[in-house]
Amino acid sequence: MVSENPFGEFRRECEGALGYALEKVLPEIRVAALPLSKPPNIEFGQLASSLCFELAKKLNQKPQALAEQLVKAIDKVDFSLIAKVSSVGGYVNFHVDFAKFSALTLASIRQLGYGYGFLKTAKPLKVIIEHTSVNPLHPIHIGQARNPMLGDALARILQSRGHAVSKHYYIDDVGRQSSVIAYGYVKLGKPQPDEKADHFVGKIYTVTSCIVEINRLKKALVMAKAVGDMDEVARVNKELDDWVSIAAELKEKFPSIFDKLLAKISEDENPEEEINKLNRAYEKGEPAAKALIREVSELCLEGFRETQKRVEVFYDSWDWESDFVWSSQVSEVLQRLKASPFVFSEGGVLEFDAEKTARELQLKAKLGLSEAHEISPLTLVRADGTTLYTTRDVAYTLWKFSRSEKVINVIGMEQSLAQLQLKLLLYALGYGQYAENFVHFAYNLVTLPGYKMSSRRGRYITFDEVLDEAVERAYEEVSKRSPSLTEAEKRKIASFVGVGAVRYALVDVDASKPVVFTWDRVLNFETNSAPYVQYTHARACSILRKAEKQPETPAFELLSERLERELVLALAGFPEIFVEAADYLKPNLIADYVNALADKFNTFYNALPVLKAEPLGLSDARVVLTDAIHIVLHNALDLIGVVAPEKM
RNA sequence: GGGCCCGUAGCCUAGCACGGAUUAAGGUGUCGGCCUUCGGAGCCGGAGAUCUUGGGUUCAAAUCCCAACGGGCCCGCCA
């Protein structure tokens, strides 16, 4: 017999038994659901119900007395996996028949192999996951790296759940910043990158924007002095000081680029205006501007792709924001918005009344907002007729829904308001269905302990640096532990161990929690890390290699040690954990699960022999158990994009 | 001023959506053990927690509700 969900099998039987007993003992009672949960201790069975506590109050009886009646009413003959039912302190405890359950679980895992655990949804959907979407201005930094790690894990999980997942990267190339970098790039004479392209672009961007900013502030200072606005003078001065110190920093770090850019930019009467001009030309889609900004953006994206390849994150579609502006899609959205009762014009500026939308369409409770929550209005169109980011995002979102049924945006929680406004815009346009299938997967910030990361100021630790460091550390470890390996083998192992460690560290914490970046967190190679799980997997594989022959006569009933039973239970529970991770979008559950399983296996490994166990039937059963462990570790690691190696 | 997120041993985290059991679970650090056969990136043991505080709901609260405190974020004709 084979089951896709062994523990679910047992759960169904327990539900059946409990329902049956309730019907028999208290036919007049109706309960909404039969509560069943895992007891804190294996001694109390494998599933337990606290039903009697609820009933006790209603019926004015003692929970224990009720529990005893229910237990008595259950006829075990009708069930196959339930070995014993008992009542302890008012609980009804179900004990699994381990001989049968181990056989079922282990046979199922062997049979299903690398497909085990991935229960398919009853309602497969076309899902678009947008993630990463770092602006092509500078390298991806560690604060942003949490995004692709979460996004990619989600994509893998939902795909395994049976959804048709498409991974999208939104390239935000419409906006002043893109013109800033393009402007600097031209001033330098469109140089060939002499390093990784995104790092190169990042330098130019930071230096250019710094010089332009100082230039602007100096002019503002003259103006303020002329009008005699002393408060303004003080404010501008302070900001100027700040930027001047950044300039000093940058000049020191990148002297040649800095000097060259300073000289070239100084030739321009008004760099600010040059940049704005380029920006306007780009939005209009003028060929020269188009060619230039796309060229610089592509350069940066080329660097991103290199990094993404290292961590094995790939996209199905790269969507340019500018394409939506140049096509009629944004203006069409605008036309429809203007007709909405929730959009009004004020002095030539188009505004969206998000609060009114939520109130009149009675959405607050539905969206989990308190009635007191006042939602800020949103500007859709500037006085000069140009659109804003969220306005363009509406067109993009509609486009996404034209090719999918569900949209998941992996975007930092600091954008919660904008994402809420976007959802309300969908409602306002009459796309209630879309709005309900629009998910903002918000994650909390990654911060550095010392200072605030700022990409504008060039203050960040890049994702590449973190990966380099992790792989370097892994290389030292491998060299120390396995000196006999060839150089190529060491490099290969170091790569998947280092990358795995980083991926795991960024997925392991609940997405809603803030993370303070420390090297210790990411370079952890011990318990509760990818390397630990990878090592455990390699250990299991090593036993299987040494077993040589197939286990022909496994006697599963001999797996009677507590450790063995806990392992079987953990393995049998993987499908349910997977479903929870998929349906509630919680990739960290997978990391927690895989670590706990590795933990249990290592304890088992140290306590009990596998190959030398007596009799043969036990040894064979333990080999099958080890095989099942290796399969489930592999399957779970795969969901978070971590390689499960046979050797390391 | 309004709103959102976070607050669990020295440090890092799990548990909270769906309230339940003697003893709040791991890791790290710390103290002490294990060259135990199959890989020591490992294993075993000790010490370490008024689950931020105060109220409330309940037979039962880390978990639900209210308030306060501490930290972060957002409220732009930026993206």
Side-chain angles (χ1 to χ4, degrees):
Chain A
M1 203 176 125
V2 167
S3 168
E4 286 189 307
N5 183 6
F7 195 79
E9 224 61 67
F10 175 60
R11 184 187 294 276
R12 265 192 297 280
E13 281 199 1
C14 293
E15 265 165 9
L18 193 60
Y20 168 79
L22 189 63
E23 177 67 36
K24 209 160 129 186
V25 176
L26 300 162
E28 72 283 6
I29 292 285
R30 284 280 167 276
V31 289
L34 297 169
L36 275 175
S37 58
K38 295 190 182 176
N41 191 316
I42 199 168
E43 308 288 313
F44 293 135
Q46 289 64 52
L47 273 177
S49 180
S50 57
L51 178 66
C52 297
F53 292 94
E54 292 171 39
L55 296 180
K57 186 84 194 296
K58 268 190 230 165
L59 302 169
N60 200 18
Q61 289 190 48
K62 290 227 161 76
Q64 177 61 18
L66 279 169
E68 281 166 20
Q69 288 178 59
L70 290 179
V71 167
K72 225 174 268 170
I74 294 170
D75 187 356
K76 293 193 302 291
V77 180
D78 296 337
F79 304 100
S80 94
L81 291 173
I82 300 173
K84 191 176 92 180
V85 190
S86 61
S87 61
V88 181
Y91 289 90
V92 177
N93 292 342
F94 295 89
H95 299 256
V96 78
D97 181 332
F98 268 105
K100 285 187 196 159
F101 189 63
S102 301
L104 173 68
T105 302
L106 298 178
S108 301
I109 295 171
R110 283 202 115 190
Q111 178 84 35
L112 299 168
Y114 293 146
Y116 174 71
F118 307 144
L119 288 184
K120 301 303 176 204
T121 175
K123 280 185 281 178
L125 296 173
K126 278 195 257 175
V127 181
I128 285 183
I129 296 185
E130 180 206 321
H131 72 82
T132 317
S133 303
V134 171
N135 297 181
L137 307 167
H138 50 71
I140 298 173
H141 62 68
I142 186 60
Q144 298 164 321
R146 197 178 186 185
N147 188 313
M149 299 299 92
L150 287 168
D152 188 60
L154 283 175
R156 287 166 188 260
I157 291 167
L158 293 179
Q159 180 90 44
S160 299
R161 185 81 170 107
H163 297 294
V165 177
S166 184
K167 294 162 283 183
H168 289 233
Y169 190 116
Y170 190 43
I171 305 160
D172 179 11
D173 59 332
V174 180
R176 223 187 66 102
Q177 302 149 312
S178 294
S179 297
V180 169
I181 165 67
Y183 173 76
Y185 180 63
V186 169
K187 288 290 167 204
L188 286 175
K190 299 190 178 185
Q192 280 292 314
D194 50 3
E195 60 182 322
K196 192 159 170 291
D198 51 338
H199 291 242
F200 177 73
V201 167
K203 276 181 200 169
I204 302 176
Y205 172 67
T206 311
V207 174
T208 306
S209 87
C210 176
I211 293 171
V212 170
E213 194 63 14
I214 288 177
N215 199 298
R216 184 185 70 80
L217 287 166
K218 279 184 179 164
K219 282 184 186 161
L221 192 62
V222 173
M223 287 278 276
K225 278 183 181 160
V227 214
D229 183 343
M230 293 327 280
D231 286 352
E232 180 68 3
V233 169
R235 200 188 59 77
V236 173
N237 252 325
K238 193 164 167 266
E239 217 180 318
L240 194 54
D241 283 351
D242 195 18
W243 278 105
V244 166
S245 78
I246 291 165
E249 235 175 81
L250 294 173
K251 188 175 158 68
E252 180 140 340
K253 277 201 276 188
F254 322 117
S256 75
I257 289 186
F258 190 93
D259 291 340
K260 215 164 172 183
L261 273 171
L262 186 60
K264 286 287 184 182
I265 293 174
S266 302
E267 289 170 9
D268 273 342
E269 188 60 34
N270 192 346
E272 188 78 6
E273 184 44 33
E274 294 296 316
I275 289 166
N276 290 339
K277 215 161 45 185
L278 178 59
N279 188 211
R280 284 193 297 269
Y282 190 60
E283 287 206 30
K284 277 189 206 141
E286 286 172 16
K290 250 169 121 165
L292 173 62
I293 290 187
R294 284 286 172 113
E295 183 184 333
V296 190
S297 301
E298 280 290 2
L299 201 57
C300 196
L301 292 174
E302 192 187 301
F304 289 176
R305 288 192 189 103
E306 251 179 76
T307 305
Q308 286 153 0
K309 195 174 169 199
R310 286 182 82 180
V311 289
E312 290 188 81
V313 170
F314 305 100
Y315 302 84
D316 300 301
S317 178
W318 296 77
D319 310 331
W320 295 82
E321 186 179 12
S322 49
D323 283 339
F324 291 90
V325 176
W326 299 336
S327 77
S328 56
Q329 293 172 83
V330 171
S331 48
E332 276 166 23
V333 164
L334 227 41
Q335 285 313 308
R336 268 187 280 171
L337 279 169
K338 279 179 188 161
S340 161
F342 305 112
V343 172
F344 60 96
S345 182
E346 205 176 66
V349 176
L350 208 62
E351 297 272 349
F352 172 56
D353 192 337
E355 173 61 22
K356 188 178 166 194
T357 309
R359 231 180 20 241
E360 293 193 1
L361 301 181
Q362 296 174 339
L363 297 168
K364 287 198 180 175
K366 199 175 196 167
L367 298 174
L369 308 169
S370 71
E371 289 301 319
H373 188 163
E374 284 253 352
I375 307 162
S376 316
L378 174 76
T379 301
L380 296 167
V381 179
R382 295 186 188 92
D384 68 1
T386 55
T387 55
L388 283 100
Y389 180 81
T390 307
T391 317
R392 301 190 289 266
D393 210 357
V394 176
Y396 180 42
T397 305
L398 293 180
W399 177 85
K400 283 171 171 169
F401 274 111
S402 74
R403 53 201 66 211
S404 73
E405 295 149 293
K406 185 166 184 154
V407 168
I408 299 174
N409 288 345
V410 180
I411 297 178
M413 59 139 248
E414 71 276 11
Q415 297 219 42
S416 292
L417 177 59
Q419 289 287 303
L420 176 63
Q421 288 165 329
L422 177 52
K423 183 179 255 203
L424 288 167
L425 277 163
L426 294 176
Y427 277 113
L429 286 168
Y431 293 112
Q433 271 299 314
Y434 291 176
E436 272 157 41
N437 288 296
F438 173 88
V439 178
H440 174 206
F441 180 88
Y443 60 92
N444 216 316
L445 265 46
V446 177
T447 53
L448 286 177
Y451 56 83
K452 213 174 147 72
M453 262 185 278
S454 164
S455 28
R456 261 181 95 204
R457 298 170 182 209
R459 287 180 185 154
Y460 45 74
I461 296 180
T462 67
F463 192 23
D464 287 316
E465 282 174 73
V466 174
L467 291 170
D468 289 345
E469 188 70 29
V471 170
E472 188 49 40
R473 260 288 303 278
Y475 180 78
E476 284 167 24
E477 291 289 322
V478 187
S479 307
K480 204 164 66 192
R481 291 167 203 282
S482 314
S484 59
L485 292 173
T486 67
E487 184 62 17
E489 281 172 319
K490 284 187 209 163
R491 287 282 164 209
K492 192 178 155 214
I493 292 166
S495 167
F496 65 63
V497 168
V499 168
V502 174
R503 280 195 77 129
Y504 185 100
L506 292 176
V507 150
D508 162 56
V509 180
D510 188 299
S512 71
K513 302 219 182 196
V515 163
V516 177
F517 176 85
T518 58
W519 285 102
D520 279 356
R521 183 192 286 274
V522 173
L523 298 184
N524 177 25
F525 285 26
E526 293 174 13
T527 309
N528 198 12
S529 72
Y532 171 73
V533 180
Q534 289 172 317
Y535 174 74
T536 309
H537 179 266
R539 257 182 156 181
C541 289
S542 170
I543 291 181
L544 296 171
R545 267 197 307 276
K546 294 209 161 94
E548 285 171 354
K549 63 176 177 51
Q550 287 294 311
E552 276 154 14
T553 54
F556 296 118
E557 70 280 6
L558 297 181
L559 296 175
S560 57
E561 294 280 347
R562 185 181 174 131
L563 279 170
E564 293 167 322
R565 297 185 158 184
E566 284 180 354
L567 275 170
V568 168
L569 274 175
L571 292 168
F574 178 54
E576 288 190 348
I577 299 282
F578 165 73
V579 168
E580 201 178 334
D583 295 357
Y584 290 96
L585 305 181
K586 297 187 101 174
N588 62 309
L589 291 183
I590 302 294
D592 288 346
Y593 172 82
V594 82
N595 181 250
L597 183 61
D599 240 339
K600 282 202 176 72
F601 178 71
N602 279 318
T603 303
F604 164 79
Y605 181 95
N606 275 275
L608 302 165
V610 174
L611 300 176
K612 291 186 180 166
E614 295 285 349
L616 181 63
L618 176 61
S619 173
D620 277 356
R622 285 185 180 161
V623 171
V624 176
L625 178 63
T626 304
D627 189 30
I629 303 274
H630 124 260
I631 290 169
V632 175
L633 287 178
H634 172 281
N635 292 1
L637 283 177
D638 195 45
L639 292 174
I640 53 173
V642 174
V643 171
E646 304 219 341
K647 288 182 189 171
M648 66 184 269

